[in-house]
Amino acid sequence: MTCIVGFSYKKKCYVGGDSAGSEANNGNIAARLDPKVFVRNGYLFGYTSSFRMGDILQYICPPPEVKAAKISLREHLIVHWIPVLREKLKAEGCIEIKESKEKGGTFIVAYRGALCTIHDDFQVSAVIANYCAVGSGYMYALGAFHATSSLDMKPKERVTAALSAAAFHNAYVREPFTIIES
């Protein structure tokens, strides 16, 4: 499990993630060297669910093309990238199909001040707030973002506070944290 957070401030995005790698079936947890957040083609990604899915997102699936200014990030991902992602995940054996329904994984995509969450059924949600979180520690991170909204903190400080709250309250979230920006 994990905690991945996204934060948007003044047309800039920040995505942060922890370093936990865990196995839910036996409780094994270890810090991993490979970060769960990365940049491709100007897009920030942060993933949970599967390290294999993360590998595909980072190295195999073509990243989204540059988004036209006239459409939202959500629309751009739905129309132009999710079909490509689904096919690539299928080709790489990283989609679970049960009762004719496909299940992938959950991750955050950020681009030029916009944040979206891609859920395991490939729905794309745009957030109302200027922050989002996924993974087992997401509730704590959201609470920290909300609690710090009226404080005079820099964006990276708020991202770190959100991840720290998740790590303090959830056994499957741990340092070190990686924070990227674009």
Side-chain angles (χ1 to χ4, degrees):
M1 308 316 251
T2 192
C3 189
I4 304 296
V5 301
F7 183 65
S8 175
Y9 183 73
K10 294 185 178 180
K11 302 258 184 204
K12 196 168 185 179
C13 287
Y14 303 81
V15 173
D18 75 318
S19 297
S22 61
E23 298 177 51
N25 60 339
N26 65 14
N28 183 38
I29 185 168
R32 291 186 56 142
L33 289 175
D34 43 332
K36 295 179 257 184
V37 298
F38 55 90
V39 181
R40 287 195 71 201
N41 200 27
Y43 289 84
L44 306 181
F45 290 85
Y47 67 89
T48 181
S49 307
S50 161
F51 279 95
R52 176 65 182 140
M53 180 196 67
D55 292 343
I56 295 166
L57 287 171
Q58 188 169 7
Y59 299 111
I60 298 172
C61 183
E65 294 183 6
V66 174
K67 181 186 85 60
K70 63 185 178 192
I71 65 171
S72 69
L73 176 60
R74 181 177 179 271
E75 180 182 352
H76 178 67
L77 293 173
I78 290 169
V79 173
H80 300 288
W81 189 65
I82 293 295
V84 174
L85 171 66
R86 288 174 66 194
E87 288 305 314
K88 191 53 75 173
L89 290 174
K90 276 186 216 173
E92 295 293 324
C94 197
I95 283 193
E96 178 184 327
I97 301 173
K98 191 173 186 178
E99 297 177 11
S100 300
K101 293 183 182 179
E102 295 177 345
K103 184 177 178 184
T106 305
F107 56 98
I108 292 171
V109 178
Y111 185 74
R112 295 186 179 172
L115 298 170
C116 284
T117 301
I118 292 42
H119 299 273
D120 62 4
D121 63 354
F122 299 101
Q123 68 168 294
V124 180
S125 63
V127 296
I128 292 173
N130 65 334
Y131 54 84
C132 60
V134 296
S136 60
Y138 84 96
M139 291 182 293
Y140 306 109
L142 293 177
F145 273 127
H146 180 75
T148 59
S149 64
S150 64
L151 301 178
D152 185 27
M153 295 173 72
K154 293 180 177 159
K156 282 188 177 180
E157 292 173 329
R158 289 194 62 200
V159 169
T160 301
L163 291 168
S164 295
F168 183 83
H169 291 285
N170 187 288
Y172 292 103
V173 180
R174 67 170 43 163
E175 293 186 48
F177 304 134
T178 303
I179 300 170
I180 56 175
E181 61 185 88
S182 170

